[in-house]
């Protein structure tokens, strides 16, 4: 067989090579004929060909051109003829002037001649075309051709490729035949006929011993083969082999299955009271007569066991889905809704979740409440009578089933018509449920950490099967998981409300009245309470302090730390400290807290008392003076402010950078900015511009765009900024403070220098009286002169020059006396016999507020008085 196969392959390869050679030669000949025709037509119609034929020496002009065309077109000759067939050109110059050998007469009549004939160069394929003048008259002819020798050479050049391909085919065929022979030997394991016969006998023994039936039916519906298991499963007689399957007493469905031409895989078939798993195959392609092979396996008991396993698997899948889907949020109502989404329709047709009232508020339930409110419902068709969320119901605690619920045990009821404990005292509502087909329920308590938080009701109406013990266990497991999640959500709601209440109590409830800036703010807390804070603090001299800060972290610790920082800022601001000194004091406070808490933090970063350190907090402190229109700023790791100038340009001023509080311990450097009246100062926390899906530079760009063209009103500008930058649910607290600067008019300020002589006291009183009269404040002239006299006297006695007095008419009358000394004044109780020591005491008695602030040149003692009340006209 191997030699026969190789001989057949060689014969086929030789025939193929011959056919391909003839095909190549024929193709080469057709190509040569086409090339000769195109060459002759192109040369005949080329510019100058007709003129050269009519010239006095056509050969001199045409011979070089013809030879050039012949070489370029790979033809063997290009010959130009006159009307009598005399050659003007020829590859062999000796042939010029002789008569053309071949047919050219039709070309003289204007036709094209294509032929294969013998010429001076041997047999060739040639074409002869006419050459016409301008009037269309034939004045000559052009013949071009390719010799058959060239065509044969082209075909012969293809022979190596053809022979190589043939040799490759022979090699592949030989290798394939060898592989097939080797595989046959390996499959038969080198066995002879006797060994193969014995193997088939063993296979036959195994076939009749296996516990799986096998039936083979031929194309004439006769039973060819059956084993003992098939005989038992189908109840076949002993002489069934060779008989028609219609005569074996089988039911029609089994006969149709055994004779079918359609393949069947693991199909369940009922026969003789057994569930059989059937596989059926046709031994030849469909549409042709052949036998069929059918295997049968008894799966009656396996089917019942697999049904129970499938039900258990579905319950496990439902519990797994519940573990993933329930408790995704820390919201009580959403958690109840998630239970309804998981249990319907896989477990129940309808689900209701009722919670005791305190749970909705995050409060504790002592288990004694029997009044509940519906949190969620799920399932059902349109028009179902199940009451929706927010409805209330009461349970009778004296009923045994209700007592079981209160004790944390689920109750199943498969006959709603025969009981009334589940009706909760509303018989009309219960009747509507039963009219809608409700017939079974499981009430499972939401029991967590020893407290019953509510009841989950699983109801069946469309499905008629009752709840069984496994359903009860599944309902209890679902309720237990939901109860833990509801309790977590309740506790979170309580803790969050406590933290939010603490945070609200620590933030300013309103902004103080002052005339230095027009302010507006927005505060947007996140779900997790943070430590963002802001403040507007009036200072002496009609100045105002603007503060914004952020504490790292969330929760009660962040809110408490924020309150400590805000209190410290207020206390330090009361000392009239400049921004750099105030942040230095805060930095010292943070560093001291860090040292005090070393070694006492827990894993959550809190001390034993739950306060923790201040490290990582940022703060920006700015003081604006409406008299000088000067804004002094300093930052501790906080984002820079934004300035919106009156002309609408937006600027991010460069401040001296410094790490957050409690990190570096380096001195802070202030930045001074002279602002035009109407400039808006925008202070904010990082929650405004930072987000998980955008970079901080992108957020700053969005803030610039939002402030560009924003309304002058700070309140409207705040709304625009939040609308442009904040998502619906921010992940971090956001504080925005916008202050529009004002300036005190020159006529509201009066100042003069005071000579360093005792007589200057009287001159200062007189000047103050004149200024107050000019302002129309004659009612407080006496008190002001007394206060100013004592302040100037104090500067003359305890200070040093130069001394200067400044009066400011703002919301109050402000008297300021500055000198070149940094000695801190303080009041004291003078004895009855002392001649002095009562000046600052008098100032404190007659002024509403007084104090001292330090400058680079010395100090300023100031006092404020209320302006006299003037009734409106």
């Amino acid at each position: 067989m191997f030699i026969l196969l190789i001989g057949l392959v060689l014969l086929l390869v030789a025939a193929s090579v011959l056919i391909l050679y003839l095909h190549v030669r024929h193709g080469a000949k057709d190509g040569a004929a086409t090339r000769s025709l195109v060459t002759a037509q192109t040369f005949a119609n080329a510019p100058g060909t007709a003129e050269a034929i009519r010239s006095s020496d056509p050969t001199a002009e045409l011979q070089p051109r013809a030879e050039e065309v012949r070489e370029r077109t790979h033809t063997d000759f290009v010959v130009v003829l006159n009307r009598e067939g005399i050659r003007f050109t020829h590859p062999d110059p000796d042939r010029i002037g002789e008569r053309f050998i071949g047919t050219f007469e039709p070309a003289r009549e204007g036709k094209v001649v294509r032929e294969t004939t013998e010429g001076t160069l041997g047999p060739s394929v040639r074409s002869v075309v006419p050459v016409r003048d301008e009037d269309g008259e034939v004045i000559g002819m052009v013949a071009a051709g390719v010799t058959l020798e060239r065509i044969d050479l082209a075909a012969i050049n293809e022979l190596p490729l053809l022979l190589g391909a043939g040799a490759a085919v022979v090699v592949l065929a030989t290798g394939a035949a060898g592989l097939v022979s080797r595989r046959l030997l390996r499959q038969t394991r080198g066995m002879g006929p006797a060994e193969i016969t014995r193997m088939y006998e063993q296979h036959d023994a195994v076939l009749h011993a296996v516990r799986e039936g096998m039936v083979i039916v031929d194309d004439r519906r006769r039973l060819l083969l059956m084993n003992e298991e098939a005989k038992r499963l189908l109840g076949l007689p002993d002489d069934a082999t060779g008989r028609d399957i219609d005569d074996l007493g089988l039911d029609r469905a089994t006969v149709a299955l055994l004779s079918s031409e359609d393949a069947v895989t693991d199909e369940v078939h009922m026969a003789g009271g057994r569930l059989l798993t059937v596989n059926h195959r046709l031994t030849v392609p469909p549409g042709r007569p052949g036998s069929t092979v059918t295997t049968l396996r008894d799966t009656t008991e396996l089917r019942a066991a697999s049904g129970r396993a499938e039900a258990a698997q579905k319950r496990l899948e439902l519990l797994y889905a519940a573990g993933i889907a329930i408790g995704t949020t820390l919201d009580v109502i959403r958690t109840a809704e998630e239970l309804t989404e998981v249990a319907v329709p896989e477990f129940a047709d309808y689900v209701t979740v009722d919670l005791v009232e305190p749970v909705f508020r995050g409060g504790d339930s002592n288990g004694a409440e029997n009044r509940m409110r519906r949190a969620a419902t799920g399932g059902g068709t349109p028009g179902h009578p199940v009451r929706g969320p927010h409805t209330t119901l009461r349970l009778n605690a004296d009923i045994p089933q209700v007592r079981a619920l209160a004790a944390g045990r689920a109750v199943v009821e498969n006959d709603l018509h025969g009981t009334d404990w589940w009706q909760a005292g509303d018989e009309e509502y219960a009747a509507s449920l039963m009219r809608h087909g409700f017939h079974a329920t499981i009430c499972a308590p939401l029991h967590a950490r020893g407290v019953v938080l509510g009841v989950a009701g699983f109801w069946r109406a469309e499905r008629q099967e009752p709840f069984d013990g496994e359903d009860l266990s599944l309902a209890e497991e679902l309720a237990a998981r939901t109860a833990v999640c509801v309790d977590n959500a309740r506790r979170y709601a309580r803790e969050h409300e406590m933290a939010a209440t603490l945070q609200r109590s620590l933030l300013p409830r309103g902004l103080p009245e002052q005339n230095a800036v027009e302010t507006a703010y927005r505060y947007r807390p996140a779900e997790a309470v943070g430590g963002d804070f802001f403040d507007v603090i009036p200072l002496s001299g009609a100045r105002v302090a603007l503060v914004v800060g952020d504490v790292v972290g969330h929760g009660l610790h962040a809110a408490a730390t924020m309150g400590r920082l805000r209190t410290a800022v207020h206390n330090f601001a009361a000392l009239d400290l400049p921004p750099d000194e105030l942040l230095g004091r805060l930095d010292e406070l943070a560093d001291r807290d860090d040292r005090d808490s070393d070694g006492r933090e827990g894993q959550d970063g809190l001390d034993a008392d739950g306060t923790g350190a201040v490290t990582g907090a940022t703060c920006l402190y700015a003081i604006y003076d409406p008299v000088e229109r000067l804004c002094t700023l300093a930052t501790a790791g906080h984002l820079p402010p934004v300035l919106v100038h009156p002309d609408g340009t937006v600027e991010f001023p460069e401040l001296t950078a410094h790490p957050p509080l409690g990190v570096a311990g380096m001195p802070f450097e202030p930045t001074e900015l002279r602002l035009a009246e109407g400039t808006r100062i925008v202070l904010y926390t990082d929650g405004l511009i930072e987000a998980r899906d955008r970079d901080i530079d992108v957020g700053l760009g969005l803030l610039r765009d939002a402030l560009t063209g924003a309304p002058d009103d700070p309140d409207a500008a705040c709304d625009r900024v939040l609308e442009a930058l904040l998502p619906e649910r921010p992940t971090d607290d956001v504080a925005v403070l916008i202050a529009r600067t004002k300036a005190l008019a020159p006529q509201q300020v009066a100042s003069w220098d005071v000579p360093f002589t005792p007589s200057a006291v009287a001159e200062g009183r007189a000047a103050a009286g004149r200024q107050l009269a000019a302002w129309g404040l004659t009612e407080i002239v006496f008190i002001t002169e007394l206060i100013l006299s004592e302040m100037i006297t104090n500067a003359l006695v305890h200070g040093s020059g130069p001394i200067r007095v400044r009066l400011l008419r703002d919301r109050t009358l402000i008297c300021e006396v500055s000198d070149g000394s940094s000695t801190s004044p303080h009041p004291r109780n003078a004895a009855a016999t002392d001649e002095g020591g009562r000046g600052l005491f008098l100032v404190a008695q007659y002024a509403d507020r007084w104090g001292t602030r330090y400058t680079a040149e010395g100090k300023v003692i100031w006092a404020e008085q209320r302006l006299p009340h003037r009734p409106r006209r």
Side-chain angles (χ1 to χ4, degrees):
M1 290 298 292
F2 178 76
I3 296 174
L4 179 62
L5 177 62
I6 297 302
L8 180 61
V9 170
L10 289 175
L11 179 62
L12 291 176
V13 169
S16 300
V17 170
L18 178 61
I19 292 171
L20 289 174
Y21 172 77
L22 295 176
H23 178 74
V24 170
R25 188 178 185 280
H26 182 268
K29 186 175 181 181
D30 289 344
T34 302
R35 187 164 69 253
S36 64
L37 176 61
V38 172
T39 302
Q41 288 178 335
T42 303
F43 194 90
N45 296 322
T49 301
E51 290 78 1
I53 292 175
R54 289 180 173 178
S55 65
S56 59
D57 191 358
T59 299
E61 294 186 17
L62 294 174
Q63 177 68 10
R65 295 168 54 189
E67 289 302 303
E68 181 182 1
V69 170
R70 180 179 66 81
E71 293 178 357
R72 290 188 176 183
T73 58
H74 302 289
T75 55
D76 290 309
F77 62 86
V78 177
V79 178
V80 182
L81 315 173
N82 63 9
R83 288 182 55 85
E84 287 73 24
I86 304 301
R87 300 187 185 97
F88 288 148
T89 64
H90 195 275
D92 185 1
D94 295 338
R95 301 287 186 175
I96 297 175
E98 297 180 359
R99 187 178 180 84
F100 179 74
I101 300 175
T103 305
F104 63 87
E105 290 80 4
R108 189 168 52 193
E109 301 301 327
K111 300 179 180 179
V112 176
V113 177
R114 301 181 68 179
E115 64 178 348
T116 302
T117 185
E118 182 77 23
T120 58
L121 301 178
S124 61
V125 178
R126 61 182 62 185
S127 298
V128 183
V129 298
V131 179
R132 301 177 185 271
D133 60 4
E134 294 83 356
D135 299 329
E137 182 181 354
V138 178
I139 62 174
M141 294 159 285
V142 175
V146 180
T147 63
L148 295 181
E149 182 181 0
R150 179 188 289 269
I151 296 173
D152 292 338
L153 288 175
I156 291 173
N157 290 335
E158 300 293 332
L159 277 178
L161 177 62
L162 297 177
L163 293 176
V169 171
V170 171
V171 171
L172 292 176
T174 303
L179 291 175
V180 170
S181 300
R182 183 178 178 183
R183 182 169 182 82
L184 288 175
L185 290 174
R186 186 169 63 250
Q187 288 180 340
T188 59
R189 301 179 182 273
M191 292 186 300
E195 288 83 359
I196 294 177
T197 301
R198 186 169 59 253
M199 180 186 68
Y200 276 109
E201 291 175 352
Q202 294 172 352
H203 287 179
D204 185 67
V206 172
L207 177 66
H208 289 81
V210 296
R211 298 294 295 173
E212 184 169 345
M214 177 174 291
V215 177
I216 299 179
V217 178
D218 65 5
D219 58 325
R220 290 181 293 177
R221 300 168 63 89
R222 291 185 307 175
L223 182 63
L224 296 181
L225 175 67
M226 67 173 181
N227 63 356
E228 297 299 327
E229 184 66 10
K231 177 181 176 181
R232 183 182 69 85
L233 295 177
L234 298 179
L236 299 175
D238 296 335
D239 60 346
T241 303
R243 295 172 56 184
D244 193 293
I245 58 175
D246 293 321
D247 301 334
L248 299 178
L250 301 174
D251 59 88
R252 294 182 180 179
T254 304
V255 172
L257 174 65
L258 296 177
S259 60
S260 173
E261 294 184 357
D262 298 329
V264 172
T265 301
D266 291 337
E267 181 179 297
V268 178
H269 179 76
M270 178 67 74
R274 293 185 176 91
L275 285 176
L276 304 180
T277 299
V278 179
N279 289 276
H280 179 79
R281 294 290 184 275
L282 189 66
T283 59
V284 296
R288 294 173 54 188
S291 59
T292 62
V293 179
T294 306
T295 60
L296 310 168
R297 186 172 65 253
D298 190 359
T299 59
T300 304
E301 297 180 357
L302 180 62
R303 192 72 177 179
S306 63
R308 292 191 297 270
E310 182 179 358
Q313 179 65 25
K314 289 183 178 181
R315 291 188 177 93
L316 289 176
E317 292 176 354
L318 182 61
L319 289 176
Y320 176 75
I324 295 177
I326 300 176
T328 59
T329 65
L330 290 174
D331 182 80
V332 172
I333 295 180
R334 180 55 192 156
T335 303
E337 293 173 349
E338 289 168 346
L339 172 61
T340 65
E341 294 168 0
V342 168
V344 176
E346 284 76 8
F347 179 60
D349 299 324
Y350 299 85
V351 175
T352 59
V353 181
D354 303 308
L355 302 177
V356 296
E357 283 290 345
V359 173
F360 291 94
R361 303 187 298 270
D364 292 323
S365 172
N366 57 14
E369 298 88 350
N370 59 359
R371 185 174 182 270
M372 292 186 291
R373 180 155 54 95
R374 183 145 296 171
T377 60
T381 57
H384 66 81
V386 178
R387 290 175 176 173
H390 309 300
T391 57
T392 59
L393 70 153
R394 289 181 180 274
L395 297 178
N396 187 352
D398 296 331
I399 298 177
Q401 291 86 348
V402 177
R403 288 200 299 270
L405 291 175
R409 298 190 302 273
V411 179
V412 60
E413 182 59 66
N414 286 316
D415 184 13
L416 298 184
H417 294 271
T419 57
D420 59 358
W421 64 267
W422 56 273
Q423 299 179 3
D426 194 338
E427 297 180 359
E428 182 178 352
Y429 172 63
S432 66
L433 291 180
M434 288 185 288
R435 285 195 300 269
H436 199 76
F438 284 71
H439 62 86
T441 183
I442 294 179
C443 291
L446 302 180
H447 188 272
R449 299 179 178 92
V451 177
V452 176
L453 305 175
V455 176
F458 304 92
W459 307 80
R460 283 184 178 175
E462 283 79 11
R463 285 184 287 186
Q464 298 304 315
E465 64 270 17
F467 289 111
D468 56 20
E470 294 182 352
D471 293 331
L472 180 61
S473 299
L474 178 60
E476 291 176 336
E477 182 65 24
L478 290 175
R481 297 192 180 194
T482 305
V484 173
C485 296
V486 168
D487 190 57
N488 291 338
R490 175 187 65 85
R491 289 170 177 265
Y492 170 78
R494 181 180 61 191
E495 299 297 332
H496 183 271
E497 182 60 28
M498 290 173 59
T501 302
L502 174 62
Q503 186 184 39
R504 287 192 298 268
S505 66
L506 295 176
L507 289 172
R509 294 180 174 82
L511 298 181
E513 296 181 354
Q514 40 78 37
N515 289 343
V517 291
E518 180 185 356
T519 58
Y521 70 92
R522 292 292 184 273
Y523 187 84
R524 293 290 183 270
E527 290 187 4
V529 175
D532 293 10
F533 66 95
F534 63 93
D535 251 317
V536 177
I537 306 173
L539 301 177
S540 63
R543 300 171 305 142
V544 67
L546 306 175
V547 191
V548 66
D550 188 2
V551 176
V552 176
H554 296 87
L556 286 175
H557 163 58
T561 304
M562 177 268 290
R564 295 166 61 196
L565 281 181
R566 183 167 175 262
T567 301
V569 169
H570 272 271
N571 292 336
F572 293 144
L575 300 177
D576 256 330
L577 298 178
D580 54 329
E581 293 186 20
L582 185 140
L583 291 183
R585 298 285 184 91
L586 287 179
D587 191 56
E588 292 177 6
L589 174 65
D591 184 62
R592 185 169 60 251
D593 283 351
D594 290 344
R595 290 196 302 269
D596 293 342
S597 61
D598 281 346
R600 295 190 291 111
E601 300 97 333
Q603 294 182 354
D604 56 358
L606 301 182
D607 296 340
D609 57 359
T611 57
V614 189
T615 302
T618 65
C619 183
L620 175 65
Y621 189 82
I623 295 178
Y624 174 69
D625 187 348
V627 179
E628 303 292 337
R629 292 184 289 105
L630 186 66
C631 184
T632 306
L633 308 95
T635 178
H638 202 80
L639 294 167
V642 185
L643 299 181
V644 185
H645 297 285
D647 60 357
T649 59
V650 180
E651 176 189 1
F652 289 87
E654 294 185 3
L655 305 183
T656 303
H658 196 279
L661 298 174
V663 175
M666 299 296 291
F668 293 86
E669 296 184 16
T671 301
E672 292 186 349
L673 303 173
R674 186 101 34 198
L675 305 179
E677 184 177 5
T679 300
R680 282 165 288 168
I681 307 173
V682 182
L683 306 181
Y684 54 93
T685 56
D686 57 359
L688 179 67
I689 61 173
E690 290 184 354
R692 295 178 181 175
D693 57 347
R694 72 183 180 207
D695 190 68
I696 185 172
D697 294 333
V698 177
L700 291 174
L702 294 175
L703 179 59
R704 178 190 294 273
D705 296 340
L707 291 173
T708 301
D712 291 337
D713 178 42
D715 199 71
C718 285
D719 291 335
R720 177 165 179 172
V721 167
L722 295 188
E723 181 181 354
L725 277 83
L726 280 195
E728 182 179 354
R729 299 173 68 89
T731 58
D732 194 7
D733 288 4
V734 176
V736 179
L737 177 63
I738 299 181
R740 186 169 179 266
T741 63
K742 299 179 181 179
L744 289 183
Q747 58 270 22
Q748 294 180 269
V749 181
S751 61
W752 63 88
D753 294 327
V754 176
F756 202 78
T757 61
S759 61
V761 178
E763 296 175 2
R765 287 199 301 267
R770 290 191 297 270
Q771 184 61 53
L772 293 181
W775 284 341
L777 301 176
T778 56
E779 298 93 329
I780 59 174
V781 168
F782 176 76
I783 298 299
T784 303
E785 289 179 345
L786 177 61
I787 292 174
L788 196 58
S789 173
E790 296 299 333
M791 292 168 63
I792 295 175
T793 301
N794 184 279
L796 290 172
V797 174
H798 302 287
S800 61
I803 300 176
R804 186 171 181 80
V805 175
R806 187 172 73 164
L807 299 180
L808 303 176
R809 180 171 62 85
D810 191 30
R811 303 179 69 89
T812 60
L813 177 64
I814 304 172
C815 301
E816 295 182 346
V817 176
S818 61
D819 63 80
S821 171
S822 59
T823 304
S824 177
H826 59 277
R828 65 185 180 86
N829 293 324
T833 57
D834 290 344
E835 295 184 0
R838 299 177 178 85
L840 293 180
F841 178 77
L842 293 175
V843 172
Q845 291 295 316
Y846 289 106
D848 292 328
R849 291 196 314 149
W850 76 280
T852 305
R853 69 174 181 270
Y854 295 93
T855 65
E857 295 80 15
K859 67 176 181 297
V860 176
I861 301 178
W862 55 270
E864 291 184 4
Q865 302 176 72
R866 286 193 297 269
L867 297 179
H869 176 70
R870 301 181 186 277
R872 295 181 180 179
R873 296 183 179 180

